[in-house]
């Protein structure tokens, strides 16, 4: 399968929100909260944007501490974690106007949101943008902390990928095989539009097509064959559901 970033409707919506964030009035309100179900393509979209604009991307973890976070930031910026390194990290981010991305941001609320408060101090001073990525049900936790919630000038919710998104993914990612429209529809239906599962399905279809030695593969050719192993556990829709 080809390693190409597919510009889905979710990805386009995210870029629109970034443009709006750049036009904000209060520099300290420079945060964007990205939400959605697991598997919607949030992390992949943020990786693509980070590579394009030179953002520094962190993935928060359970029991994350300020020290661990700052050491990770320092490592990504090539700063040695010796005395005074935290100030140097903040100065570098501000001087280069480097956006910060925090994936799995709900874990940054640990210990009275200590990590988010440190990041707030950095972005308040520098005016740098911050993008926090989390799941829908975690949003109230951010809103309950006024100093944190008030920094989110914009919110961007990732939705179920459209049939057109899935068709684009099939066309751009499948290598050496064309996926027929009826099979694209089945992939969309059985994955519930979760892009992570869509990618798994495309990879599976590609393997089956190569095994069958066909250039085009349709739904009839894979009737009765599971296209992505975890779609039932993910609770996505199936035909007739």
């Amino acid at each position: 399968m080809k390693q190409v970033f597919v510009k889905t409707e979710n990805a386009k919506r995210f870029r629109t929100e970034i443009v709006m964030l750049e036009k904000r009035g209060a520099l300290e309100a420079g945060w964007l909260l990205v939400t959605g179900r697991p598997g919607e393509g949030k992390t992949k979209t943020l990786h693509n944007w980070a590579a394009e604009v030179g953002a520094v991307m962190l993935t928060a973890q359970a029991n994350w501490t300020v020290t661990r976070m700052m050491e990770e930031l320092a490592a990504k910026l090539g700063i040695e974690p010796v005395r005074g390194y935290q100030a140097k990290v903040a100065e570098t981010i501000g001087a280069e106007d480097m956006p910060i991305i925090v994936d799995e941001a709900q874990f940054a609320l640990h210990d009275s949101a200590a990590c988010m408060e440190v990041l707030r101090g950095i972005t308040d001073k520098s005016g740098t943008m911050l993008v926090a990525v989390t799941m829908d049900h975690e949003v109230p936790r951010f809103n309950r902390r006024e100093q944190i919630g008030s920094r989110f000038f914009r919110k961007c919710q990732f939705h179920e990928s459209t049939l057109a998104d899935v068709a684009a993914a099939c066309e751009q990612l499948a290598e050496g095989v064309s996926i027929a429209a009826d099979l694209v529809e089945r992939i969309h239906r059985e994955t519930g539009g979760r892009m992570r599962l869509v990618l798994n399905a495309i990879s599976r279809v590609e393997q089956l097509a190569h095994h069958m030695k066909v250039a085009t593969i349709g739904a009839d050719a894979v009737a009765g064959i599971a296209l992505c192993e975890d779609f039932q556990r993910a609770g996505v829709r199936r035909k007739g559901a």
Side-chain angles (χ1 to χ4, degrees):
M1 193 167 70
K2 299 175 185 176
Q3 297 302 309
V4 178
F5 179 72
V6 180
K7 294 181 179 179
T8 63
E9 288 302 315
N10 282 324
K12 295 173 185 176
R13 187 181 305 110
F14 168 75
R15 293 303 184 107
T16 298
E17 292 298 341
I18 288 294
V19 171
M20 297 300 296
L21 188 62
E22 291 171 339
K23 296 178 180 179
R24 68 191 184 278
L27 287 180
E28 69 275 11
W31 290 17
L32 174 67
L33 186 62
V34 176
T35 66
R37 300 179 301 172
E40 299 281 19
K42 300 185 298 296
T43 299
K44 197 173 189 66
T45 298
L46 269 294
H47 272 296
N48 176 263
W49 180 69
E52 182 178 314
V53 302
V56 58
M57 188 166 183
L58 300 170
T59 301
Q61 301 171 21
N63 300 318
W64 219 29
T65 64
V66 171
T67 298
R68 283 179 61 188
M69 179 185 74
M70 294 303 292
E71 287 177 348
E72 290 176 31
L73 271 173
K76 289 179 179 292
L77 298 176
I79 296 172
E80 189 176 355
V82 296
R83 183 170 180 171
Y85 81 95
Q86 294 194 12
K88 189 172 182 180
V89 165
E91 290 170 3
T92 301
I93 289 172
E96 298 185 16
D97 193 20
M98 184 181 297
I100 302 169
I101 300 169
V102 184
D103 199 7
E104 302 290 350
Q106 67 274 9
F107 293 123
L109 296 175
H110 171 70
D111 192 19
S112 299
C115 290
M116 295 300 285
E117 289 292 350
V118 168
L119 293 173
R120 180 172 70 86
I122 293 173
T123 60
D124 276 5
K125 184 176 180 179
S126 64
T128 300
M129 290 191 297
L130 182 144
V131 178
V133 187
T134 192
M135 291 176 288
D136 291 333
H137 68 270
E138 298 285 0
V139 173
R141 296 181 60 198
F142 291 87
N143 292 336
R144 282 195 293 268
R145 297 184 177 277
E146 187 175 356
Q147 290 283 24
I148 300 298
S150 64
R151 262 59 185 178
F152 290 111
F153 177 68
R154 307 288 299 184
K155 292 182 175 64
C156 179
Q157 184 176 27
F158 274 48
H159 302 296
E160 173 183 320
S161 295
T162 65
L163 178 59
D165 289 333
V166 175
C170 289
E171 180 180 359
Q172 295 175 39
L173 300 179
E175 193 164 11
V177 62
S178 176
I179 300 177
D182 60 351
L183 184 49
V184 171
E185 290 176 1
R186 179 186 164 186
I187 292 172
H188 179 252
R189 182 175 64 250
E190 292 191 354
T191 61
R194 295 191 193 223
M195 190 51 64
R196 184 183 303 156
L197 300 186
V198 171
L199 300 184
N200 289 343
I202 292 172
S203 177
R204 177 64 173 151
V205 166
E206 184 182 285
Q207 293 170 22
L208 290 168
H210 291 164
H211 178 73
M212 298 173 187
K213 294 182 170 54
V214 295
T216 300
I217 186 167
D220 288 347
V222 294
I225 300 175
L227 301 182
C228 52
E229 295 178 358
D230 56 348
F231 75 88
Q232 288 178 307
R233 288 188 284 109
V236 299
R237 300 192 313 272
R238 296 196 67 184
K239 186 175 182 179

